[in-house]
Amino acid sequence: MRFILPLGWIATILAVAPVRFDREKVLRVKPQDEKQANIIKDLAKTNQLDFWYPDATHHVAANMTIDFRVSEKESQFIQSTLDQNKMHYEILIHDLQEEIEKQFDVKEDIPGRHSYAKYNNWDKIVGWTEKMVHKHPEMVSRIKIGTTVEDNPLYVLKIGKRDERRKAIFMDCGIHAREWISPAFCQWFVYQAAKTYGKNKIMTKLLDRMNFYVLPVFNVDGYIWSWTQNRMWRKNRSKNQNSKCIGTDLNRNFNVSWNSFPNTKNPCADIYQGPEPESEKETKAVTDFIRSHLKSIKAYITFHSYSQMLLFPYGYTSKLPRNHENLAKVAKIGTDVLATRYETHYIYGPIASTIYPTSGSSLDWAYNLGIKHTFAFELRDKGKFGFLLPESLIKPTCKETFLAVKFIAKYILKHTS
């Protein structure tokens, strides 16, 4: 007897089947000259290349390291084109699906429980925020700063005593959905700050004198989607007018030099800027919160991956900020301090010249708003795993980054008014 599924069921099953990446590759190419750079740009016009580094075709230039993902179907053609043009390339990942599954390489102590050594989905993170407040009521409070397009809450955890007038640092993680190591760090930071208060001299001094506002997941809808449907998802999940393509890149949606790059205007692009500055509910919630706490916020720090960099303004211009020397000094010492733990090498500098030019970024927006110490961490690694950093590297990454953030906080406490 044949069993026929109702059409509605079939549609539901098809709708929820997660994207698979069987035998997809990640290639690394370093074009030697403009001609070779143009070959990559031409390939991107006719093939579906997912740029991992830099994040879009228009940044591709001679002598730049380019990492991109390519489907099984297109990889043969792309590799033979590179071979024909005598372009040296390296295969960083041979089978992306395999690498995605290998990411979860730490065994759970108690199945289903939140763990700092593992990647946690959104439900676990929400439960964790409640637990932190319950465990440290004098030190941690949870503030709902808004909701997402899909009506998920945006939670900021405030760490420190109740006084609103003290100096503060705002930190956010997970603005890009697929950069999972970023929210893992924000969770680690909150945990370590609260746990070491009264035990660690520096942390105790910091929390006695300043507050930290930590947004563990900025792009909640995108983060959920990267867990349930598409591990490589980057943007949020808002619908775009007159387009079937979903999502805006929240880190192109801030009101700073917003419309200055033509390639950010396509709703199907991973770096789509949105229909107008602050069009997205997530961006608006964050900007409103920061504006309303502007008197106390002395530093803004955002966490991304990957490439091991500590960046500061500007991204939209090669012009250097007024306090460039000061920012460079803090970044240099910060990267030195980070390296003391595992000798992990970071480079530092302004966004535009160190990584690539960007418009509408949270970092430049916060700086132009008047927060004169703004930094972006691009966490581990340098491309071996890319966005798929294994869980076994979460703790080392968090431990070394924690040292750098602690140094920046100490500097802010001492040197800002």
Side-chain angles (χ1 to χ4, degrees):
M1 181 183 157
R2 276 166 53 199
F3 180 69
I4 298 166
L5 280 171
L7 272 176
W9 285 18
I10 294 167
T12 308
I13 290 163
L14 289 174
V16 296
V19 177
R20 287 189 64 86
F21 300 91
D22 297 292
R23 291 169 296 283
E24 296 204 0
K25 290 182 170 65
V26 176
L27 304 183
R28 170 168 285 179
V29 188
K30 193 169 182 180
Q32 299 303 303
D33 51 37
E34 210 50 51
K35 187 190 164 203
Q36 290 192 351
N38 286 331
I39 289 165
I40 295 172
K41 287 178 182 177
D42 291 341
L43 283 170
K45 284 174 195 165
T46 52
N47 299 270
Q48 283 254 288
L49 304 188
D50 169 20
F51 282 89
W52 284 23
Y53 184 92
D55 61 11
T57 331
H58 64 269
H59 297 311
V60 171
N63 298 309
M64 183 187 222
T65 299
I66 320 288
D67 298 347
F68 58 87
R69 169 173 70 89
V70 61
S71 70
E72 181 193 10
K73 200 172 75 184
E74 293 173 332
S75 67
Q76 214 173 347
F77 169 71
I78 283 161
Q79 285 174 250
S80 68
T81 303
L82 296 173
D83 287 334
Q84 281 163 22
N85 288 281
K86 298 190 168 45
M87 291 172 69
H88 174 71
Y89 64 89
E90 191 185 335
I91 302 172
L92 295 177
I93 294 173
H94 286 266
D95 186 330
L96 190 62
Q97 187 62 37
E98 213 172 87
E99 221 52 59
I100 287 170
E101 285 153 23
K102 274 169 33 186
Q103 218 189 344
F104 300 101
D105 65 346
V106 168
K107 280 205 167 69
E108 289 183 275
D109 294 338
I110 299 160
R113 187 185 278 189
H114 178 279
S115 166
Y116 296 102
K118 292 189 68 60
Y119 293 117
N120 298 293
N121 65 22
W122 174 241
D123 288 341
K124 282 184 189 170
I125 294 172
V126 172
W128 165 82
T129 63
E130 289 163 6
K131 185 179 145 190
M132 291 311 291
V133 175
H134 180 71
K135 211 171 174 183
H136 308 277
E138 294 304 305
M139 188 58 65
V140 182
S141 54
R142 188 175 78 172
I143 308 159
K144 186 180 172 183
I145 65 164
T147 55
T148 67
V149 178
E150 294 180 347
D151 214 29
N152 286 303
L154 288 164
Y155 289 131
V156 161
L157 291 180
K158 178 188 171 192
I159 318 161
K161 297 289 165 67
R162 297 281 178 249
D163 190 354
E164 293 290 329
R165 291 163 303 181
R166 301 188 309 165
K167 289 179 185 180
I169 293 177
F170 186 93
M171 292 164 44
D172 65 55
C173 289
I175 198 167
H176 291 141
R178 62 188 177 184
E179 298 167 10
W180 284 8
I181 187 61
S182 167
F185 173 72
C186 268
Q187 291 162 70
W188 178 265
F189 179 85
V190 173
Y191 163 65
Q192 282 298 322
K195 180 186 151 190
T196 59
Y197 178 76
K199 296 169 191 164
N200 176 283
K201 202 171 142 188
I202 297 169
M203 208 65 232
T204 305
K205 185 180 173 182
L206 289 172
L207 291 173
D208 275 342
R209 298 186 192 179
M210 68 195 303
N211 293 320
F212 290 86
Y213 295 111
V214 182
L215 176 63
V217 186
F218 192 131
N219 179 7
V220 175
D221 299 343
Y223 186 68
I224 293 169
W225 195 255
S226 73
W227 272 84
T228 58
Q229 295 296 313
N230 181 344
R231 178 63 186 86
M232 290 297 114
W233 191 258
R234 171 185 165 100
K235 301 189 280 183
N236 77 347
R237 295 292 303 160
S238 61
K239 290 184 171 70
N240 293 312
Q241 234 181 340
N242 307 319
S243 174
K244 285 179 184 173
C245 296
I246 296 285
T248 287
D249 181 344
L250 297 173
N251 203 37
R252 299 291 181 279
N253 191 236
F254 286 79
N255 195 5
V256 58
S257 190
W258 175 76
N259 206 14
S260 58
F261 287 92
N263 302 61
T264 58
K265 293 174 188 175
N266 173 9
C268 297
D270 263 350
I271 55 165
Y272 176 53
Q273 63 190 11
E276 59 186 65
E278 295 185 24
S279 58
E280 306 309 293
K281 286 180 79 178
E282 298 89 341
T283 318
K284 190 82 177 79
V286 170
T287 54
D288 284 352
F289 182 84
I290 291 175
R291 282 189 201 104
S292 68
H293 292 77
L294 197 54
K295 275 193 178 130
S296 64
I297 295 175
K298 302 299 176 189
Y300 168 82
I301 312 175
T302 180
F303 297 86
H304 293 248
S305 73
Y306 60 97
S307 62
Q308 293 173 202
M309 295 177 181
L310 182 47
L311 305 166
F312 48 83
Y314 286 111
Y316 67 88
T317 174
S318 54
K319 192 182 88 180
L320 298 174
R322 243 183 231 172
N323 63 335
H324 165 77
E325 282 179 20
N326 175 250
L327 292 171
K329 178 182 144 189
V330 175
K332 186 202 180 307
I333 302 170
T335 56
D336 288 347
V337 167
L338 185 146
T340 59
R341 190 75 200 239
Y342 302 104
E343 296 181 0
T344 308
H345 178 65
Y346 268 58
I347 61 170
Y348 64 91
I351 306 170
S353 58
T354 311
I355 188 163
Y356 40 73
T358 60
S359 59
S361 76
S362 65
L363 194 70
D364 285 349
W365 173 83
Y367 185 84
N368 282 1
L369 191 68
I371 303 168
K372 292 308 172 197
H373 290 87
T374 64
F375 298 97
F377 280 83
E378 290 282 350
L379 300 174
R380 291 197 197 186
D381 60 1
K382 281 178 164 273
K384 183 184 176 187
F385 299 108
F387 301 120
L388 304 175
L389 197 72
E391 288 179 328
S392 51
L393 294 175
I394 292 175
K395 278 194 175 176
T397 304
C398 291
K399 284 175 182 177
E400 66 193 11
T401 311
F402 187 74
L403 295 177
V405 173
K406 216 156 66 163
F407 162 72
I408 293 170
K410 218 165 61 170
Y411 181 91
I412 296 303
L413 184 62
K414 194 175 174 184
H415 296 282
T416 60
S417 53

